[in-house]
């Protein structure tokens, strides 16, 4: 746990060295007290919250890009639009996407419970798997900054449709299904590399960060901007910042508490 010098910041402890936070320890109890007192919690989640559901992250030790750096390049929008072979491979990968069989885990369920208690002001997720909604968070409260893999969008006319019907077409032999309305290139309704974020969505995320009394960043390397900027923004606006992640992040020094260890253990422990 690291202190940022603001009122209420915890004294440095073992987690400064990356030692795992231990359930029942003094630092966990302190964070638990903060969360119990908070009325406007804003959660910021990344791929790490869904690894226990069987969806690998990108940059963690077993991440998709850690194991295969070329995969990052293949996910750029320029390659996708220019190369039919990249699209065909992408459709085959979508058929096998782990999201179709994944179920929410203990981490997702804790955030749904915070909403039921009326204390979750907002949930900003970088994930595209919709597991927060499946765990019980209301869609109105979830801000998906990178979109969702459960929809397709037409690059030409902007038409949106359920992913499942496009996947049925691929199963029936279409290697690169086109928009049924205009014939344009279809892709998942997610933000690829090189693709612009949706300004209104980012604005909503930043507004939430500025309104939080406690920002809970979970399972993200906090390396992707502008969303990572929610952390310093919330801190500047006076919120306590708690980071739960297995690995260090660039904002650990700024946070009031850094809990390193498994999300599936730590999140239930601090929110119970
Ligand atoms: P990331 O892959 O950059 O980092 C994930 C972090 O979570 C890593 O630091 C890793 O060590 C940690 N982590 C993984 N499992 C953990 C666990 N069980 N307990 C504790 N820590 C754990 O994730 P990111 O910052 O969200 O960025 C990757 C981008 O890729 C996201 O923006 C997202 O759009 C996309 N993505 C989404 C999904 C999904 O929807 N589930 C999966 C992979 C990637």
């Amino acid at each position: 746990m690291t202190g940022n010098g603001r009122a209420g910041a915890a004294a440095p402890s073992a987690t400064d060295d990356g030692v795992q936070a231990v359930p029942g320890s003094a630092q966990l109890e302190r964070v638990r007290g903060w969360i119990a007192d908070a009325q406007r919690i804003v959660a910021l989640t990344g791929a790490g919250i869904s690894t226990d559901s069987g969806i690998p992250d990108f940059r963690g030790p077993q991440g998709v890009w850690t194991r295969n750096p070329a995969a990052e390049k293949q996910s750029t929008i320029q390659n996708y639009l220019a190369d039919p072979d990249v699209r065909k491979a992408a459709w085959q990968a979508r058929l096998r996407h782990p999201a179709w069989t994944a179920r929410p885990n203990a981490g997702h369920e804790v955030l749904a419970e915070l909403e039921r208690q009326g204390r979750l002001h907002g949930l900003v997720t970088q994930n595209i798997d919709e597991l927060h909604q499946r765990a019980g968070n209301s869609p109105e409260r979830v801000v998906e900054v990178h979109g969702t893999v459960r929809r397709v969008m037409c690059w030409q006319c902007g038409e949106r449709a359920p992913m499942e019907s496009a996947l049925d077409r691929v199963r029936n032999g279409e290697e690169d299904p086109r928009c049924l309305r205009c014939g344009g290139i279809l892709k998942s309704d997610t933000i690829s590399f090189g693709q612009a974020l949706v300004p209104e969505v980012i604005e909503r995320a930043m507004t939430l960060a500025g309104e939080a009394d406690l920002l809970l960043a979970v399972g993200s390397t906090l390396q992707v901007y502008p969303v990572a900027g929610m952390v310093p923004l919330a801190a500047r606006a006076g919120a306590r910042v708690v980071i739960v992640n297995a690995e260090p992040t660039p904002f650990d020094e700024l946070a009031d508490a850094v809990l390193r260890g498994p999300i599936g253990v730590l999140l239930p422990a601090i929110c119970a």
Side-chain angles (χ1 to χ4, degrees):
M1 191 182 294
T2 56
N4 65 0
R6 285 181 289 122
S13 77
T15 49
D16 287 338
D17 302 323
V19 175
Q20 286 212 344
V22 182
S25 66
Q27 73 257 38
L28 263 181
E29 289 306 312
R30 198 176 298 116
V31 175
R32 203 148 80 109
W34 295 346
I35 290 187
D37 290 345
Q39 292 302 318
R40 296 166 76 79
I41 299 171
V42 172
L44 166 59
T45 65
I49 198 169
S50 292
T51 55
D52 283 349
S53 296
I55 306 179
D57 60 19
F58 283 170
R59 300 186 185 84
Q62 297 302 315
V64 174
W65 295 340
T66 312
R67 288 147 61 112
N68 176 16
E72 183 168 359
K73 187 168 165 279
Q74 281 159 15
S75 11
T76 66
I77 188 68
Q78 291 81 1
N79 288 338
Y80 187 85
L81 295 177
D83 188 344
D85 287 335
V86 170
R87 294 199 294 279
K88 287 177 196 167
W91 283 109
Q92 288 304 312
R94 282 176 197 132
L95 281 179
R96 301 186 302 267
H97 199 287
W100 313 141
T101 50
R103 294 162 59 89
N105 64 55
H108 298 106
E109 278 156 18
V110 160
L111 298 180
E113 175 57 23
L114 285 180
E115 180 176 338
R116 278 192 289 275
Q117 292 172 5
R119 298 188 303 118
L120 187 74
H121 186 53
L123 200 176
V124 178
T125 186
Q126 300 175 91
N127 295 343
I128 56 172
D129 54 31
E130 292 191 21
L131 288 182
H132 288 302
Q133 295 91 321
R134 286 179 182 226
N137 286 112
S138 50
E140 306 79 53
R141 212 163 279 276
V142 180
V143 181
E144 294 173 310
V145 288
H146 292 161
T148 171
V149 75
R150 294 184 194 270
R151 265 195 323 260
V152 291
M153 63 94 71
C154 171
W155 189 253
Q156 195 161 304
C157 73
E159 172 89 340
R160 260 101 177 154
M163 172 62 79
E164 196 44 43
S165 33
L167 290 182
D168 277 343
R169 291 169 62 191
V170 179
R171 285 187 199 102
N172 289 331
E174 286 184 62
E175 291 184 297
D176 180 18
R178 294 306 187 104
C179 175
L180 293 172
R181 198 165 84 170
C182 76
I185 291 175
L186 285 181
K187 69 181 287 292
S188 63
D189 196 5
T190 54
I191 306 287
S192 306
F193 273 93
Q195 187 177 345
L197 295 158
V198 181
E200 302 78 47
V201 175
I202 298 303
E203 200 179 309
R204 209 176 140 210
M206 294 302 167
T207 301
L208 285 169
E211 293 169 347
D213 62 2
L214 187 143
L215 184 95
L216 185 57
V218 185
S220 175
T221 49
L222 299 177
Q223 287 178 10
V224 181
Y225 281 83
V227 176
M230 285 176 65
V231 178
L233 193 156
R236 275 199 308 276
R240 281 204 167 106
V241 171
V242 175
I243 295 176
V244 182
N245 201 49
E247 296 180 294
T249 82
F251 293 108
D252 288 359
E253 287 302 313
L254 173 149
D256 294 281
V258 178
L259 301 176
R260 296 218 188 114
I263 292 163
V265 174
L266 292 174
L267 213 48
I270 59 175
C271 297

